[in-house]
DNA sequence: ATTGTATACGGAACATTGTTCCGTTTGCAA
DNA sequence: TTGCAAACGGAACAATGTTCCGTATACAAT
């Protein structure tokens, strides 16, 4: 078997699937799964989600059988990559909140979200294809992103940097609408500007809180 | 060769392609082309635009080679069907204008447009796939539909049945947006209601014309 | 360290579908 | 009636998703 990577396997996955007292997931399997997801993400970004499975397998340095062992259907791979990126975007909220002041963190996260949506334009077509394999994706999407944004919003509102009472769902949909639709020509720069404008709109009408000593 | 259809071929296509004094398009070719488009339309409606070419050929009662003679690429067939339905929708404007009063004609056409957009949800995925084969479709779409709607709008405005100054493009986009987006669950009835509301919105603020004796 | 085995791997083989090619058939003008 | 360009049908090819199974290996038990 391949021995390309000596990195310690932390078994960080908390799937809780390893049966008590049973064998752990084999290290090479975990490693291949990670490699596969990463390779698939890159290939999808370059060639779109219609890229051949063989190409992904080759890039990851594994056999086709291995791909299908981890992802019985091609769509499973796509969904897994999507979820992974949704997770990354959601996690970015916490990181930004730790590093920047609430208002700044919010604004930066929104741009991060724009990047995410823009990069996933290829996936959008698959999502709208009507294939039931993707039915759960929007649910996961909202479930993961809404709390992240809500936390940012509340923190920024508490700090008096944005107005209160803004619905996370509204904001998520507004941004994705700004990034996506207009026919066939999507200008990323334009999307970015529109979203920046939206962020400024949030700031407008902010009411400095009393619980927070104003500077 | 097949001889399943005795219907007179009117050669109504005004492609202007038959060379002066040259051979006319063979009758069976024209007949097969019509049959193909009709079969494709039906198959697409049932199985989506990803339906196998073989299935369409079978339904039309022709060989695969014949399909590819008329439509070198699969996407050519899809585009042809789409254009045919766009034409039908655009032509409906004239028919409705002849049969109903301006305001009624406008309202009915908008519902007709809703039907068209809703039925074409399957095509939307293909259109957004990024395949350059579909690049010209939106252009044709607007080129054909905008004048049709504009005529209806102006007639209705002149009759004092709707307000003036409404942009056809805005209306087209608004309706398609109402029909399409919301995640994964599109409720046709809801779309219909929303569009009806929109139509009422047009009526609001209508200024009865002086040139037209009010009832 | 050795060993047994459940686990995972690799890739050939298969199934489906888009596309090409070419021998055969046929509409139609002379 | 006849000649042939146009059109046809479908076998063959190519690309790609998916399955299957013999082989390799990580790892727990000893």
């Amino acid at each position: 078997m391949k021995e390309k990577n000596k990195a310690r396997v932390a078994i960080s996955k908390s799937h809780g699937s390893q049966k008590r007292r049973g064998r752990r997931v084999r290290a090479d399997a975990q490693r291949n799964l990670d490699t596969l997801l990463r390779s698939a993400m890159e290939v999808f970004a370059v060639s779109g989600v219609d890229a051949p499975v063989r190409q992904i397998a080759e890039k990851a340095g594994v056999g086709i059988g291995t791909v299908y062992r981890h992802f019985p259907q091609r769509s499973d791979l796509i969904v897994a990559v999507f979820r992974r990126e949704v997770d990354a975007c959601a996690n970015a909220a916490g990181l930004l909140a730790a590093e920047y002041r609430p208002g700044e963190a919010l604004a930066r996260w929104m741009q991060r979200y724009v990047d995410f949506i823009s990069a996933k334009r290829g996936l959008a077509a698959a999502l709208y294809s009507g294939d039931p394999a993707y039915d759960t994706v929007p649910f996961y999407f909202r479930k993961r992103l809404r709390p992240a944004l809500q936390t940012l919003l509340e923190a920024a509102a508490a700090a008096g940097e944005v107005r209160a009472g803004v619905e996370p769902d509204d904001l998520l949909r507004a941004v994705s609408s700004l990034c996506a639709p207009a026919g066939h020509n999507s200008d990323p720069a334009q999307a970015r500007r529109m979203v920046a404008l939206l962020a400024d709109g949030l700031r407008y009408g902010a009411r400095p809180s009393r619980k927070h000593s104003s500077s």
Side-chain angles (χ1 to χ4, degrees), chain A residues 2-9 27 31:
Chain A
K2 305 299 176 55
E3 189 50 43
K4 56 179 64 166
N5 192 343
K6 275 191 130 55
R8 192 75 51 174
V9 176
R31 201 185 323 126

Side-chain angles (χ1 to χ4, degrees), chain A residues 69-157:
Chain A
R69 161 165 290 269
H70 289 295
F71 307 99
Q73 306 261 331
R74 173 195 167 67
S75 58
D76 294 330
L77 216 195
I78 296 175
V79 169
V81 169
F82 188 83
R83 288 168 75 116
R84 167 182 260 232
E85 301 198 35
V86 168
D87 288 342
C89 189
N91 292 338
L95 300 180
L96 290 171
E99 187 165 1
Y100 297 95
R101 294 177 49 230
E104 180 72 8
L106 175 60
R108 282 177 182 261
W109 187 84
M110 287 176 65
Q111 292 302 335
R112 171 73 169 78
Y113 180 61
V114 169
D115 292 342
F116 168 70
I117 292 290
S118 301
K120 293 312 137 238
R121 184 62 31 73
L123 286 187
L127 261 40
Y128 278 77
S129 68
D131 187 328
Y134 302 110
D135 281 353
T136 67
V137 172
F139 182 75
Y140 186 78
F141 187 89
R142 173 162 302 186
K143 170 188 170 190
R144 208 69 179 70
L145 258 28
R146 209 184 74 102
L149 176 54
Q150 186 156 34
T151 301
L152 290 175
L153 271 174
E154 288 176 352

Side-chain angles (χ1 to χ4, degrees), chain A residues 171-190:
Chain A
L171 212 47
L172 286 175
R173 168 161 300 190
V175 172
S176 65
S177 294
L178 283 178
C179 292
H184 270 233
N185 46 352
S186 67
D187 181 352
Q190 184 193 30

